Amino acid sequence: MDVLPPEVEQARWKDLDRLLLRQGNLVGPGFEPGPEVKEVLHECLSVLVIGAGGLGCELLKDLALSGFKKIDVIDMDTIDVSNLNRQFLFRMCDVGKSKAEIAAERVMRRVKGVLVTPHFCRIEDKSPEWYKDFHIILLGLDSLEARSWINAVVCSFLEYSDDGSPKIETLKPVVDGGTEGLKGHARVILPGITPCFQCTLWLFPPQVTFPLCTLAETPRSAAHCIEWAHLIHWPQTRSETEFDNDNPDHMKWVYEQALSRASLFSIEGVTLHHTQGVVKNIVPAIPSTNAIVAAACALEALKIATMCSQGLNNYTMYVGTSGIYTHTAAYEKDPECVICSAGVPLEVDAPNATLQQVLDTLMEKFESKIEKPSISYQGTNLYMRGVFEEETRPNLEKPMKELMNGASSGVCIVNDKKLQGPMRIRLIFSSDMEE
């Protein structure tokens, strides 16, 4: 890592000094101006950027130029020619190489003194403990599934006090950015305080779908032909192979079949690029939208790191379709969120219900979310699947209150392979509610 001369290093952060070395009317709680704040930002704080695409490239650049000197970036993708119009850290000679590795190399070359560590892998390849080491996590993702996964991971770190308030030292801040054409959003997720991703899943519109009868019988557009090849023709002719939209050969096959079908119905517009967009539900990315949203995300990360200004509460959107429009909204937490709440209420009818009865009630209420749950209370495994099943099986016939050391209510932790993270449930016995 290159080090600049002291006088050059001092001069390059003069704009940052205006924020960190003096008091202001809009500073965040506990802000104390001074050189120590900048030192912590430079030397102590480590941030993780997930995604090194259009938004991720902008995030890496903005964070490095905002004073963050310890940055990690993780991305499983390689660079494609189609990326070059908006992912400005990449060049033609980089095609086929890791996005994370090339992005890290370019940022370190342009911003001296910054260490960017790349990770060329899937986010699921890293353990939850690895994510725990970062002070702030920034998301530059284009997938709801990936967002949900990382949301569950960071919320699993969260611990609550007996009164239901989150323990601040277990809170892992997340700054999420997203773009779709000329629209974008930035949001701050403070698990236990602001709504998590699961709480506001309704913000994301459902994916556009087409009636199967239209695809099979009366296609009227290039998209109809592509979806026919993808959803109908592939299962009919290649049922032994699972379709992988990241496999170039699979995508080429769909394109060729869609092109052939389009010619039968005199439909134009089927291209390989369009095929990729329809199959992956890709909306064309606009570089300026990425830049605006990334700037908002990097600024929120700086606020969280230094408290130099009050933070976003807690969601802002940008619309550039007709002029420039932004709107900030303070969305509310879902008190019964299975991912981030202090405990989803679970009412048990019998005051002396056994652990088996509690599990039965749990399965009935969350039938679609869990399959074979394990349950623990205050760090003690009450019933576990797998190798500990035989050891904990006797607890099934014991009264739940006995297993909870006589407590009439409490928070239990449920784990299940269908869950993306631990689920907290707050047991409420019916007799206690009536009292």
Side-chain angles (χ1 to χ4, degrees):
M1 183 172 65
D2 296 330
V3 179
L4 295 173
E7 62 277 8
V8 177
E9 177 70 13
Q10 183 177 354
R12 75 189 297 200
W13 303 119
K14 63 180 181 179
D15 291 328
L16 193 61
D17 289 343
R18 294 190 178 99
L19 292 174
L20 304 184
L21 302 185
R22 60 183 184 178
Q23 215 25 288
N25 295 326
L26 300 176
V27 297
F31 175 70
E32 296 182 5
E36 298 83 6
V37 182
K38 187 168 70 171
E39 182 179 346
V40 169
L41 178 67
H42 287 337
E43 307 300 333
C44 301
L45 284 171
S46 59
V47 298
L48 171 66
V49 175
I50 301 181
L55 194 58
C57 285
E58 291 281 353
L59 280 171
L60 289 169
K61 176 259 296 181
D62 289 347
L63 291 170
L65 293 175
S66 297
F68 291 94
K69 291 191 173 184
K70 294 183 178 180
I71 306 171
D72 284 59
V73 57
I74 181 170
D75 197 305
M76 63 175 284
D77 284 343
T78 55
I79 300 164
D80 186 77
V81 173
S82 63
N83 302 147
L84 302 183
N85 71 325
R86 63 193 181 280
Q87 298 174 19
F88 68 95
L89 293 177
F90 309 140
R91 303 291 180 267
M92 184 62 75
C93 61
D94 301 322
V95 171
K97 299 177 182 177
S98 161
K99 286 185 177 182
E101 292 173 357
I102 297 300
E105 177 187 320
R106 293 278 154 71
V107 170
M108 287 192 290
R109 184 186 304 172
R110 295 296 297 270
V111 187
K112 304 298 183 183
V114 173
L115 175 63
V116 184
T117 305
H119 305 273
F120 179 34
C121 61
R122 296 164 55 89
I123 56 175
E124 297 90 346
D125 293 341
K126 298 293 187 181
S127 69
E129 289 301 313
W130 183 77
Y131 292 97
K132 207 170 188 177
D133 291 338
F134 298 99
H135 296 95
I136 304 171
I137 297 176
L138 295 99
L139 308 183
L141 296 165
D142 59 1
S143 162
L144 297 186
E145 292 77 11
R147 282 191 178 97
S148 295
W149 189 88
I150 197 66
N151 177 73
V153 169
V154 298
C155 288
S156 71
F157 303 148
L158 184 63
E159 297 178 12
Y160 284 89
S161 303
D162 293 337
D163 62 359
S165 61
K167 295 182 179 180
I168 300 301
E169 66 273 16
T170 66
L171 187 153
K172 183 72 62 181
V174 174
V175 181
D176 173 45
T179 64
E180 188 176 85
L182 291 167
K183 301 177 182 178
H185 78 265
R187 65 185 300 178
V188 174
I189 299 175
L190 304 175
I193 298 176
T194 67
C196 75
F197 182 75
Q198 185 70 28
C199 291
T200 52
L201 204 54
W202 53 269
L203 283 171
F204 294 86
Q207 183 174 338
V208 176
T209 58
F210 304 106
L212 287 179
C213 59
T214 299
L215 303 182
E217 300 172 8
T218 55
R220 296 185 296 274
S221 68
H224 289 166
C225 298
I226 294 167
E227 286 287 54
W228 170 84
H230 173 216
L231 300 176
I232 297 177
H233 198 47
W234 179 282
Q236 289 176 343
T237 60
R238 304 187 64 174
S239 58
E240 75 287 350
T241 306
E242 183 178 355
F243 182 79
D244 180 2
N245 59 18
D246 289 321
N247 187 315
D249 293 332
H250 290 189
M251 194 65 70
K252 183 181 178 182
W253 186 92
V254 170
Y255 159 65
E256 291 172 346
Q257 300 302 312
L259 190 63
S260 176
R261 183 167 178 80
S263 66
L264 291 176
F265 290 88
S266 302
I267 295 172
E268 298 180 352
V270 175
T271 65
L272 180 58
H273 183 72
H274 187 36
T275 300
Q276 292 172 326
V278 171
V279 173
K280 295 185 178 183
N281 194 32
I282 296 174
V283 177
I286 309 297
S288 58
T289 308
N290 288 336
I292 291 168
V293 171
C297 291
L299 182 58
E300 292 307 316
L302 182 63
K303 292 177 186 178
I304 294 171
T306 65
M307 289 295 159
C308 64
S309 181
Q310 297 174 19
L312 173 68
N313 183 27
N314 46 60
Y315 182 98
T316 186
M317 68 174 181
Y318 161 78
V319 180
T321 50
S322 57
I324 297 177
Y325 173 78
T326 61
H327 176 71
T328 299
Y331 290 117
E332 296 183 357
K333 283 184 60 192
D334 178 359
E336 296 192 8
C337 177
V338 298
I339 301 297
C340 74
S341 70
V344 180
L346 181 70
E347 183 181 349
V348 182
D349 290 336
N352 295 313
T354 64
L355 174 57
Q356 181 65 64
Q357 290 174 302
V358 170
L359 287 174
D360 291 342
T361 304
L362 184 70
M363 288 290 294
E364 183 179 344
K365 181 170 182 177
F366 300 104
E367 183 180 2
S368 63
K369 293 184 172 68
I370 58 177
E371 187 175 79
K372 295 180 178 180
S374 298
I375 187 169
S376 62
Y377 175 71
Q378 293 186 345
T380 300
N381 296 326
L382 302 185
Y383 179 69
M384 302 293 289
R385 304 283 178 172
V387 294
F388 296 108
E389 198 278 336
E390 184 176 354
E391 180 183 333
T392 56
R393 191 185 305 155
N395 287 339
L396 292 174
E397 303 306 319
K398 295 181 180 180
M400 192 65 188
K401 286 187 178 181
E402 177 186 327
L403 296 172
M404 294 168 61
N405 304 317
S408 59
S409 63
V411 175
C412 296
I413 305 298
V414 174
N415 283 283
D416 189 280
K417 63 181 182 180
K418 290 182 69 175
L419 293 171
Q420 293 174 320
M423 178 174 68
R424 301 176 181 87
I425 60 167
R426 188 173 74 254
L427 282 181
I428 304 171
F429 296 95
S430 56
S431 61
D432 298 322
M433 290 184 67
E434 292 168 2
E435 294 172 5

